[in-house]
Amino acid sequence: MSDLEAEYRLDYFEEEGFVRRECSSCGAAFWTRDVDRELCGEPPCADYSFIDDPGFPEPYTLAEMREAFLSFFEDHGHERIDPYPVAANRWRDDVLLTQASIYDFQPLVTSGETPPPANPLTISQPCIRMQDIDNVGKTGRHTMAFEMMAHHAFNTREDAEQDYAYEGEVYWKDQTVAYCDELFESLGADLEEITYIEDPWVGGGNAGPAIEVIYKGAELATLVFMCMERDPDGEYEMKDGHTYSFMDTYIVDTGYGLERWTWMSQGTATVYEAIYPDAIDFLKENAGIEHTDEERSLIHRAAKLSGRLDIDDVDDVEDARDDIADKLGVDVDRLRALVEPLEDIYAIADHSRTLAYMFGDGIVPSNVGTGYLARMVLRRTKRLVDTVGVDAPLDELVDMQAERLGYENRDTIREIVRTEERKYRKTLERGSRKVEALADEYAGTDEPIPTAELLELYDSHGIQPDMVVEIAAERGADVDVPDDFYALVADRHEEIGASAEEEERDERLRDLPETEKLYYDDQGRTEFEAIVLDVFDREEGYDVVLDQTMFYPEGGGQPADRGQITAGETTVDVLDVQEVDGVVLHHVDDDPGKGEFVRGQVDGERRDRLRAHHTATHLIGHAAREVLGDHVRQAGAQKGLDSSRLDLRHFERITREQVREIERVANELVRDDVPVRQEWPHRHEAEAEHGFDLYQGGVPPGTNVRLIHVGDADVQACAGTHVERTGEIGAIKVLKTEPVQDGVERVVFAAAGAAIEATQRTEDALYDAAATLDVDPLDVPETAERFFEEWKGRGKEIESLKEALAEARASGGADAEEVDLDGTTAVIQRLDGDADELRATANAHVEDGKVAVIGSGAGGSASFVVGVPDGVEINAGAVVGDLAGRVGGGGGGPPDFAQGGGPDVDALDDALAAAPDVLRTLQEA
Ligand SMILES: [Zn+2]
Ligand SMILES: [Zn+2]
């Protein structure tokens, strides 16, 4: 095994007079200009020495530092690239949020399949790291939202055997370190104080040498040289225990934390004061937090001390608090009371910026994916705002950040925040009862409410742990809240996995060429000729692979084509069509024979209906964005023959007026009969021109993407089959809208013939109703309302008649017999009514102060109801038990009111005749 030591022996280090040292404290190898240096410079081996002693002569704001970085690299031959959205799942399906600038170029650019947008390039990429959510505000240095400034260069080896989308070397390690050094110099840093620590990098199947750049105690940059891939036969063993070998491509992947650099230039006690000064001033004032000079100095000294400590998470903060209070000679409770509200304010500023990025980039809160993460951040922020007593509306706080970040959709952002706050309030009202019940359950025990319950309360009811703690304390229950609670929640929602089954299937098909797809040449054609390349046995039927096909495989929510394949005399039915890695599998009921020359016939009517529905889906999506706003994105779609559905991310219910407007906009495009064009541009050109909104139906693979343009109105990356002109759709009818989950609205609609059929069905129903009511169809609503009111009135009348009848019966019906029981009157009566009537009658007697024994033979069985007024010592349950026994059954109930019965109706009268004796016996007992 080799190690990577030689990889760090750079000419640049030698020319500049650097020496290699090993840290006398932690043993890490590092490079420095200071020949006497013994320590690597990174905490815990060294302190943050830039607090109150900035590392650059001039203070920079975030915006100034970003500009300084980007223009430095522009001046050094790099092209400046616009940042990508924070929702990385819009161009790749293995992650949710953007966490580093290299995410923008994975997986296709890093693998060499597609060229980068520029080479070399520089970017300042907004990122969100949910893992740090619990630390934000408390440690003084963690932020959840941050910008990773970077420069990247994409290289391939001269002797590469394959063709790659970029060729040759732009620059590599020496130049990368030289740039870093020069950037420091241009900002006026003391180069003697910089250390370059050797720290090999491993991640996502790749690896390479990497350098951490430390200045005055802070890690300011990471220079990663991605040049190896996992290889069982590789000669380098890395820290993950796997072996690696060199790849044909080698990539410069750097990361310079914008917040750290800004902080370094200001030397404030915490990073938050350097990057959110305005927001912090505003929040402090709003929450009425004022400090005396003495308090201010105490807070500053405490922050500086904690800056010097090795604080990586909240745990350490609490431990350190005692130490710091001790060193400052103050009471720890006093320190906590001073510092905690500030910590909340720092977190609010950070979370508001995170939300501005999320909503600005079009994430809509929901219970899945990025929508869930946004919801979680918003709820946590709301909680913090309430705790610290900030009364500025949350939408205003988020808007302050959105404005600073230059987002144009600020009205939508505010609307989303307000709607989400309303939903949260409702959830809390419902959820607090749950917590009370849970607290009561654990109150008597030694056990605290377990973490699993907390996670469940949060996931299902949005209840945050501090609220559980409050309620539990009131009810005497304990709660153990893990320090990384929110990170745990985020973890539960961030996992995306791939199935092993799929991988296995792919392997089977690897040797077959990609099927030529004729349906893109002429989407209206239904006949073709082809050669059977292979036939796979399946449990039921066969999968046939042809050299070319007109059959559209299921994909993008569009069902597969159907039809027939004919080989000589044999015709087989195509029951399903699927595509795996470019190979189209025709699922058929019989084997047409490998190597046969065949003719294919696609079911044209089915194809036409699907084309019309597919293009209509694009029109509905376009119309919805026009009517509801630009934040609307597709959450899913399913095209069908009779109707289709489109799921849209939207934060509230779609109103009836909005439905009509969507229908109007969509049908206007149909009437305009605009052309529907397809083109296959390079994905980067397409992304640059139209943005990631192209990928409404998911991200397609490949260097080139197929775009569907509907006139000039709408463009989407889409693999489906479409009409040639929108006029062919004829008509689009929205059938209904419904919420499928929080934050996702489903629009069900029909197109072409199906739209007319759907309208006819609705009309038929209306005509049927009109015939029954014997009125004109247009008068149905009014008539129905009148009938309904009358019907309700009659129901009430029947109720009161029943009551009157019961009272009449009680006051001496024909079969009623009154007996005296030691001064109390008992009424024994047969009344063949339903259970309601029996109970009403018994109640009427009991209210008169009488014992009631009511029997009924209605419905083919015998039943009894017995009621006993207060103060009479007879057990109604026992009476029913006895009487029911006489009709072959059983029953019972509480002592004041009971019911029961049995199958023997003929014995009912005898049982009632025996009732006086039964009552007397039970009274004596
Ligand atoms: Zn060290
Ligand atoms: Zn489509």
Side-chain angles (χ1 to χ4, degrees):
M1 291 285 156
S2 311
D3 70 23
L4 290 177
E5 199 189 309
E7 291 288 316
Y8 297 97
R9 302 202 169 272
L10 305 183
D11 292 344
Y12 180 79
F13 284 145
E14 191 166 328
E15 286 156 17
E16 291 289 312
F18 277 80
V19 288
R20 187 176 189 267
R21 287 275 179 273
E22 272 174 21
C23 177
S24 62
S25 166
C26 72
F30 65 92
W31 293 81
T32 172
R33 285 184 166 88
D34 177 1
V35 291
D36 299 324
R37 188 167 187 114
E38 298 207 337
L39 293 169
C40 66
E42 191 182 20
C45 304
D47 294 339
Y48 272 20
S49 61
F50 62 93
I51 294 176
D52 289 340
D53 180 21
F56 309 127
E58 299 293 326
Y60 286 71
T61 64
L62 270 188
E64 287 164 354
M65 184 55 82
R66 183 194 299 121
E67 187 51 39
F69 179 89
L70 292 173
S71 54
F72 172 87
F73 281 97
E74 247 176 352
D75 292 345
H76 291 79
H78 293 68
E79 191 173 318
R80 186 192 293 219
I81 298 297
D82 283 338
Y84 285 42
V86 289
N89 63 341
R90 287 170 63 192
W91 69 89
R92 51 190 289 195
D93 53 16
D94 55 338
V95 291
L96 293 177
L97 294 169
T98 309
Q99 298 199 9
S101 60
I102 196 72
Y103 275 40
D104 302 352
F105 312 109
Q106 287 170 322
L108 294 173
V109 179
T110 48
S111 67
E113 279 170 76
T114 70
N119 197 10
L121 60 83
T122 183
I123 190 169
S124 185
Q125 175 59 48
C127 299
I128 294 174
R129 278 200 189 154
M130 299 293 294
Q131 302 91 294
D132 288 332
I133 186 168
D134 299 286
N135 297 329
V136 172
K138 300 216 171 273
T139 60
R141 69 187 72 164
H142 284 101
T143 63
M144 181 161 49
F146 63 97
E147 279 183 45
M148 184 179 278
M149 305 187 292
H151 61 102
H152 296 279
F154 303 87
N155 311 296
T156 52
R157 277 176 205 291
E158 303 273 298
D159 56 358
E161 280 172 20
Q162 241 178 292
D163 278 345
Y164 291 96
Y166 37 91
E167 251 176 68
E169 180 172 302
V170 182
Y171 59 79
W172 192 227
K173 292 179 285 191
D174 287 275
Q175 186 61 61
T176 302
V177 175
Y179 282 142
C180 184
D181 239 20
E182 203 180 326
L183 175 71
F184 271 109
E185 198 174 13
S186 74
L187 293 170
D190 176 1
L191 298 185
E192 290 270 311
E193 278 207 56
I194 301 171
T195 52
Y196 291 91
I197 302 180
E198 298 177 7
D199 184 25
W201 166 87
V202 175
N206 291 115
I211 293 173
E212 275 181 16
V213 187
I214 311 293
Y215 179 50
K216 289 175 89 75
E219 182 184 335
L220 285 193
T222 314
L223 314 175
V224 173
F225 304 101
M226 191 195 284
C227 57
M228 306 167 93
E229 63 191 344
R230 203 184 281 181
D231 175 0
D233 305 322
E235 63 172 313
Y236 295 93
E237 185 176 330
M238 302 295 281
K239 56 187 170 190
D240 65 346
H242 291 283
T243 51
Y244 288 78
S245 61
F246 285 101
M247 307 186 282
D248 284 347
T249 58
Y250 54 110
I251 294 159
V252 174
D253 171 22
T254 63
Y256 292 69
L258 170 62
E259 291 69 22
R260 283 279 170 98
W261 283 74
T262 306
W263 188 16
M264 175 63 65
S265 80
Q266 297 189 21
T268 48
T270 69
V271 68
Y272 318 110
E273 291 156 296
I275 62 178
Y276 310 119
D278 305 340
I280 288 169
D281 285 347
F282 174 86
L283 289 166
K284 276 208 292 213
E285 198 187 315
N286 190 285
I289 296 176
E290 278 174 42
H291 294 124
T292 63
D293 286 346
E294 184 261 346
E295 285 168 338
R296 224 189 321 275
S297 132
L298 190 62
I299 292 165
H300 184 85
R301 280 183 293 144
K304 191 169 165 177
L305 277 178
S306 61
R308 287 174 180 276
L309 296 167
D310 180 33
I311 292 177
D312 260 339
D313 55 41
V314 195
D315 246 353
D316 306 332
V317 173
E318 279 309 310
D319 292 346
R321 193 103 67 196
D322 283 315
D323 273 3
I324 293 171
D326 209 39
K327 283 205 181 87
L328 295 172
V330 293
D331 181 56
V332 70
D333 289 330
R334 175 165 183 238
L335 184 64
R336 190 174 290 122
L338 272 177
V339 171
E340 276 184 351
L342 285 176
E343 291 175 347
D344 288 349
I345 277 179
Y346 298 150
I348 293 166
D350 169 87
H351 291 8
S352 301
R353 178 178 174 214
T354 306
L355 290 170
Y357 278 134
M358 286 177 150
F359 299 144
D361 281 345
I363 295 175
V364 171
S366 72
N367 280 332
V368 289
T370 50
Y372 184 86
L373 299 176
R375 166 164 291 168
M376 179 171 114
V377 176
L378 186 138
R379 291 181 169 181
R380 188 171 198 266
T381 316
K382 176 73 185 140
R383 195 82 187 140
L384 287 167
V385 160
D386 291 345
T387 308
V388 80
V390 167
D391 64 4
L394 198 53
D395 61 318
E396 202 175 306
L397 300 180
V398 177
D399 187 55
M400 280 169 63
Q401 300 290 336
E403 183 183 11
R404 217 170 48 112
L405 296 170
Y407 282 110
E408 278 166 17
N409 51 344
R410 284 166 51 201
D411 287 343
T412 308
I413 296 177
R414 294 187 74 143
E415 181 75 39
I416 290 175
V417 174
R418 284 195 295 264
T419 307
E420 187 60 17
E421 261 188 286
R422 268 199 301 278
K423 285 183 186 169
Y424 182 39
R425 211 175 308 126
K426 278 198 201 140
T427 313
L428 283 186
E429 281 162 17
R430 269 181 274 131
S432 51
R433 287 192 290 275
K434 276 259 163 212
V435 184
E436 284 163 11
L438 192 70
D440 289 344
E441 188 184 316
Y442 282 88
T445 71
D446 292 341
E447 276 173 77
I449 297 175
T451 304
E453 293 277 11
L454 293 180
L455 287 168
E456 191 52 34
L457 279 172
Y458 186 81
D459 261 358
S460 321
H461 304 281
I463 297 164
Q464 315 202 22
D466 50 351
M467 179 171 159
V468 181
V469 172
E470 251 172 53
I471 295 178
E474 283 164 16
R475 298 180 171 244
D478 276 341
V479 190
D480 250 350
V481 185
D483 291 325
D484 56 351
F485 179 79
Y486 288 95
L488 286 176
V489 175
D491 274 356
R492 276 167 61 135
H493 292 266
E494 251 177 332
E495 283 162 18
I496 299 177
S499 101
E501 225 167 84
E502 276 171 20
E503 281 169 29
E504 208 179 285
R505 189 182 54 178
D506 297 354
E507 198 135 327
R508 262 180 65 204
L509 295 164
R510 196 181 288 166
D511 291 339
L512 288 166
E514 288 195 10
T515 312
E516 173 111 23
K517 292 161 183 164
L518 303 172
Y519 45 84
Y520 286 140
D521 300 340
D522 180 353
Q523 302 173 67
R525 223 178 89 188
T526 54
E527 279 180 56
F528 68 101
E529 292 173 339
I531 294 166
V532 179
L533 296 184
D534 211 343
V535 178
F536 293 90
D537 260 347
R538 272 182 43 172
E539 215 167 290
E540 269 176 67
Y542 303 85
D543 275 340
V544 173
V545 177
L546 305 174
D547 62 333
Q548 54 177 15
T549 189
M550 207 73 220
F551 281 95
Y552 181 79
E554 182 180 356
Q558 182 177 329
D561 279 337
R562 298 278 168 79
Q564 273 121 28
I565 292 174
T566 306
E569 304 283 281
T570 341
T571 294
V572 300
D573 282 330
V574 177
L575 307 170
D576 189 21
V577 189
Q578 297 289 331
E579 181 182 345
V580 178
D581 280 347
V583 178
V584 177
L585 300 172
H586 304 76
H587 185 56
V588 295
D589 56 355
D590 205 355
D591 183 355
K594 189 172 166 177
E596 286 290 325
F597 186 76
V598 295
R599 276 166 38 85
Q601 171 72 50
V602 174
D603 177 344
E605 198 189 316
R606 179 186 163 92
R607 159 73 69 82
D608 285 347
R609 282 201 162 213
L610 291 172
R611 287 165 71 199
H613 270 117
H614 197 144
T615 310
T617 308
H618 287 213
L619 295 189
I620 288 280
H622 165 74
R625 285 165 79 91
E626 196 109 299
V627 173
L628 305 174
D630 276 340
H631 62 280
V632 169
R633 282 205 172 70
Q634 180 174 322
Q638 183 61 47
K639 289 87 182 179
L641 295 168
D642 298 322
S643 69
S644 294
R645 56 180 162 77
L646 178 61
D647 293 345
L648 300 170
R649 296 202 184 285
H650 183 50
F651 46 87
E652 53 191 0
R653 294 299 321 270
I654 300 176
T655 66
R656 179 71 200 138
E657 274 91 89
Q658 288 167 333
V659 168
R660 287 230 290 263
E661 193 56 16
I662 289 170
E663 227 171 45
R664 189 188 66 71
V665 173
N667 279 291
E668 210 165 81
L669 271 166
V670 171
R671 275 200 305 281
D672 289 348
D673 194 27
V674 297
V676 180
R677 288 182 299 112
Q678 53 170 337
E679 58 161 342
W680 296 85
H682 192 284
R683 65 190 309 134
H684 290 144
E685 283 164 32
E687 285 163 7
E689 194 174 339
H690 306 289
F692 293 106
D693 286 347
L694 279 178
Y695 304 136
Q696 296 286 322
V699 186
T703 307
N704 290 70
V705 288
R706 178 174 183 253
L707 297 190
I708 296 296
H709 293 263
V710 179
D712 299 322
D714 184 66
V715 54
Q716 282 188 36
C718 172
T721 54
H722 288 270
V723 297
E724 309 254 306
R725 301 187 71 89
T726 54
E728 290 167 44
I729 298 171
I732 301 175
K733 183 83 196 78
V734 174
L735 306 180
K736 63 172 176 180
T737 61
E738 58 188 354
V740 283
Q741 49 168 283
D742 193 25
V744 179
E745 287 283 303
R746 172 166 296 171
V747 181
V748 183
F749 60 94
I756 307 297
E757 285 160 21
T759 312
Q760 285 168 344
R761 272 198 302 277
T762 316
E763 226 177 33
D764 283 349
L766 182 65
Y767 274 77
D768 285 352
T772 308
L773 297 170
D774 195 20
V775 295
D776 188 82
L778 291 178
D779 293 334
V780 165
E782 201 183 300
T783 313
E785 196 180 332
R786 186 158 50 81
F787 276 34
F788 182 65
E789 287 305 321
E790 278 179 28
W791 175 80
K792 274 201 301 195
R794 283 179 194 196
K796 276 185 196 144
E797 212 171 310
I798 290 170
E799 279 296 302
S800 63
L801 286 174
K802 272 192 184 173
E803 274 167 33
L805 183 64
E807 266 170 44
R809 278 182 173 143
S811 60
D815 296 322
E817 178 197 348
E818 296 206 349
V819 295
D820 181 65
L821 303 170
D822 244 1
T824 305
T825 305
V827 183
I828 293 147
Q829 183 179 7
R830 172 161 176 167
L831 182 156
D832 289 341
D834 62 20
D836 282 341
E837 266 180 79
L838 260 59
R839 280 195 291 270
T841 308
N843 275 329
H845 288 305
V846 170
E847 266 166 41
D848 283 350
K850 296 172 184 171
V851 174
V853 178
I854 316 293
S856 167
S861 63
S863 57
F864 302 96
V865 170
V866 174
V868 177
D870 280 348
V872 177
E873 296 291 313
I874 294 178
N875 186 321
V879 178
V880 166
D882 186 307
L883 295 179
R886 293 166 192 262
V887 293
D896 57 338
F897 200 90
Q899 48 196 6
D904 190 359
V905 185
D906 293 340
L908 176 61
D909 285 332
D910 286 347
L912 286 172
D917 287 341
V918 173
L919 290 169
R920 286 194 187 101
T921 315
L922 284 167
Q923 191 177 29
E924 280 158 19

